[in-house]
Amino acid sequence: MKRELIDKLLEILEQEYTVYEDILRLSKDKTNTIIEGKVSELDNIVKLEQALVMQIARIDEKREEVLLQICNETNAGEKTMNISEIRKHTTEVQSKRLEEYQKRMLGIVNELGHINKLNSKLIQNSLEFIEFSLNLMANADAASNNYGKKGNSSDKSRKNLIDMKL
């Protein structure tokens, strides 16, 4: 197999890893932002993440093109081609670099998964707290025990602050 193809693939994989590192950093920032309740900052982080995801998509297209060329060179099917299979057709140095990339990507993807689960739980807890707070405000008047001289509620003019559940 042509050495240039593998070197090109390694370059693309390194670009991809670098973008994933940026996504990981933003995910960690997102955790702190969620905890601190900074909604506008969270919105900015999400926009940055979307831009990085678009960048990953462009890098993936390049990677797919190179993988197709590698498949053509090795007469292998696209569906069976993965890093382990590619390593069988490379030099020892290239194989080690591919193995290193594979381990690093697995590590960063696992870490991203854990952080995303944490962020999801934090957001869910925040939403539950908001719903609880809204229910408290909406029902604050319902428990009023103010009665007039004839046994009627003495404060009929008060209305719920929020009269509908969102």
Side-chain angles (χ1 to χ4, degrees):
M1 180 180 320
K2 291 185 182 176
R3 180 181 175 98
E4 298 84 29
L5 274 178
I6 300 300
D7 288 341
K8 189 174 182 178
L9 176 64
L10 285 165
E11 182 181 311
I12 290 169
L13 294 176
E14 192 58 43
Q15 291 172 5
E16 185 176 41
Y17 182 78
T18 301
V19 176
Y20 273 107
E21 283 181 316
D22 292 341
I23 292 172
L24 179 62
R25 181 185 47 77
L26 281 176
S27 292
K28 289 177 179 179
D29 290 348
K30 189 191 300 183
T31 302
N32 293 329
T33 303
I34 293 168
I35 291 169
E36 294 169 2
K38 297 179 179 177
V39 177
S40 62
E41 208 172 299
L42 182 61
D43 186 46
N44 290 335
I45 290 173
V46 169
K47 287 177 184 174
L48 290 172
E49 282 180 326
Q50 288 172 343
L52 290 173
V53 168
M54 296 290 283
Q55 192 174 349
I56 288 285
R58 287 189 297 273
I59 293 171
D60 279 346
E61 287 176 14
K62 291 179 189 176
R63 183 174 46 83
E64 290 295 327
E65 289 173 12
V66 172
L67 283 176
L68 184 60
Q69 291 174 353
I70 290 171
C71 287
N72 289 337
E73 286 256 337
T74 60
N75 294 322
E78 289 179 60
K79 293 186 181 202
T80 62
M81 189 57 71
N82 57 33
I83 288 181
S84 297
E85 185 64 32
I86 293 170
R87 288 181 56 209
K88 294 176 184 176
H89 303 281
T90 63
T91 66
E92 187 176 333
V93 172
Q94 290 173 327
S95 178
K96 291 229 184 261
R97 285 184 61 198
L98 285 167
E99 180 182 24
E100 178 187 321
Y101 165 77
Q102 190 175 27
K103 287 178 183 176
R104 289 184 350 189
M105 275 304 288
L106 184 60
I108 203 165
V109 167
N110 285 335
E111 191 173 355
L112 265 171
H114 292 301
I115 290 172
N116 285 338
K117 283 180 186 176
L118 172 63
N119 287 345
S120 180
K121 286 179 184 177
L122 289 171
I123 289 171
Q124 183 63 39
N125 288 345
S126 294
L127 290 173
E128 287 172 3
F129 178 75
I130 290 168
E131 184 177 349
F132 174 76
S133 298
L134 287 172
N135 286 334
L136 279 179
M137 289 190 300
N139 296 322
D141 192 37
S144 177
N145 288 326
N146 296 331
Y147 293 97
K149 293 180 184 178
K150 296 184 179 182
N152 297 336
S153 179
S154 64
D155 195 7
K156 290 184 180 180
S157 63
R158 288 184 56 184
K159 298 193 180 206
N160 286 341
L161 180 61
I162 300 172
D163 61 354
M164 62 184 257
K165 187 175 178 179
L166 299 175

